[in-house]
Amino acid sequence: MKTTRSFLLLLMLLATSGLNAQKEEDKYAALVSEVRNEVWSLNLPDFKNMTVPEKYRNEPAVILAAHSRLEVTRKTKLDWWGMGLTKQQITCRSIYRQMVYINSQRALEEMSQFSFLSQEKERYTRNEQQRILGVRIIKPDGTVNEISTDEYMTATEGKKDQEQLQKLAVPGLEIGDIIDLFFVRYTILNNQNPEPFGFYFMDSYPLLAYSVHCEIDPKLSTFYRCLNGARDFDHSTDTEGNHILDLHTGDSGRVIPDFWYNSARQTPMILMYIY
């Protein structure tokens, strides 16, 4: 009788685990669809420019536009798992989008394959991360092809194959195309500060336009430094008191050289710390 009960209990646990896993997958799929619709519909004038300047016609690739968006909030929540009654939870959402003209085999190979960890949860801290990749191909005739999530391959890695990896070999990308892609990262931290954020205004390829937009909860302390000639943010607040930081730069005519270059000391950048 005890053996039978133990076996039934095991079956119930396995069924519950399977249902929870499926629930998480459905929740992630819904988030992917929501984020794709949001990012592709962002009003970003720089991403309407499809023209490569004549001076960059022989470059391996040209970044026609780039955009970073950062949203950080803080909440006090009940702590069901820890010893304290409450915990400070910081939620970060970062978006990076860029549109790149492919003009060489080297750039084609670089932009044709992507790999990322889609979901991650720490057992003891209860910190969570979710990552989303979206890709569109713009053909020379103006046709826009969005890469379906069906093209993404799922692989498991790490200890006991618990890390779920998403891999994408971009189908149909050719020299002469423009690839429009974004990467979104959701992070939930409990009683912990986020890692520093960096905004870099120079790349390995010519960068024609780069815009940054930050929305930061006033309950958080924010410090940043403009390094190597990077210009400062325009600062304002919204109706809820959030700090709004905006910045837009154009073509500097500079690219990161392959040799004899110290990125930390020479690349215009802004480093931001949030506590």
Side-chain angles (χ1 to χ4, degrees):
M1 182 64 72
K2 288 183 178 180
T3 302
T4 302
R5 288 177 179 173
S6 299
F7 180 69
L8 290 174
L9 180 59
L10 178 61
L11 287 178
M12 291 175 63
L13 289 173
L14 290 174
T16 302
S17 176
L19 288 173
N20 288 337
Q22 185 59 49
K23 185 178 180 180
E24 288 296 321
E25 287 301 314
D26 293 343
K27 186 177 178 181
Y28 177 76
L31 179 64
V32 169
S33 177
E34 178 185 338
V35 168
R36 280 176 172 242
N37 291 334
E38 177 188 356
V39 175
W40 295 139
S41 62
L42 286 174
N43 183 22
L44 301 172
D46 292 334
F47 283 78
K48 298 176 182 179
N49 174 34
M50 307 291 175
T51 304
V52 178
E54 189 61 36
K55 63 180 178 179
Y56 294 137
R57 283 293 178 181
N58 295 323
E59 291 289 337
V62 179
I63 303 173
L64 301 175
H67 176 71
S68 289
R69 183 168 294 240
L70 176 64
E71 301 161 3
V72 189
T73 59
R74 193 196 85 173
K75 292 182 179 179
T76 300
K77 304 192 71 174
L78 291 175
D79 187 5
W80 298 106
W81 297 93
M83 298 297 293
L85 296 176
T86 61
K87 62 183 176 181
Q88 300 302 316
Q89 188 173 88
I90 295 179
T91 301
C92 308
R93 185 178 80 149
S94 63
I95 300 173
Y96 181 72
R97 180 179 172 186
Q98 68 173 191
M99 189 170 67
V100 184
Y101 172 70
I102 307 297
N103 199 35
S104 68
Q105 185 63 32
R106 178 187 118 192
L108 178 64
E109 293 174 358
E110 180 183 335
M111 306 299 293
S112 291
Q113 298 186 37
F114 300 92
S115 177
F116 63 99
L117 197 60
S118 58
Q119 301 187 74
E120 196 173 8
K121 181 180 289 186
E122 297 179 6
R123 177 179 299 178
Y124 300 108
T125 64
R126 311 299 294 178
N127 293 341
E128 299 179 43
Q129 279 204 4
Q130 293 177 308
R131 303 173 182 88
I132 299 169
L133 172 71
V135 179
R136 300 194 303 188
I137 299 173
I138 304 173
K139 291 295 183 178
D141 63 0
T143 304
V144 179
N145 300 323
E146 182 176 354
I147 306 304
S148 169
T149 54
D150 295 337
E151 299 290 345
Y152 291 66
M153 302 296 293
T154 301
T156 54
E157 293 186 358
K159 188 176 181 180
K160 296 183 180 180
D161 289 334
Q162 291 185 348
E163 294 182 352
Q164 191 173 76
L165 205 65
Q166 295 281 324
K167 296 185 177 183
L168 173 66
V170 182
L173 185 64
E174 301 173 312
I175 295 175
D177 291 345
I178 293 173
I179 183 169
D180 185 0
L181 61 92
F182 70 80
F183 189 73
V184 175
R185 185 196 306 266
Y186 283 89
T187 306
I188 296 177
L189 300 171
N190 297 296
N191 297 323
Q192 186 177 331
N193 295 317
E195 294 291 326
F197 299 97
F199 306 99
Y200 304 92
F201 301 93
M202 199 165 140
D203 211 307
S204 300
Y205 304 119
L207 175 59
L208 301 190
Y210 183 28
S211 58
V212 181
H213 176 78
C214 304
E215 300 178 11
I216 304 173
D217 195 311
K219 296 187 292 293
L220 295 165
S221 297
T222 303
F223 305 86
Y224 65 86
R225 293 190 65 185
C226 303
L227 304 173
N228 307 321
R231 50 165 291 197
D232 200 352
F233 286 113
D234 295 323
H235 179 219
S236 62
T237 55
D238 62 13
T239 55
E240 298 178 354
N242 295 310
H243 295 285
I244 308 300
L245 303 174
D246 285 298
L247 177 59
H248 182 275
T249 63
D251 177 17
S252 68
R254 299 173 60 195
V255 296
I256 297 176
D258 294 328
F259 302 103
W260 308 110
Y261 185 82
N262 187 317
S263 181
R265 293 186 177 185
Q266 295 175 265
T267 298
M269 68 178 76
I270 294 178
L271 293 182
M272 181 178 292
Y273 301 81
I274 298 177
Y275 302 100

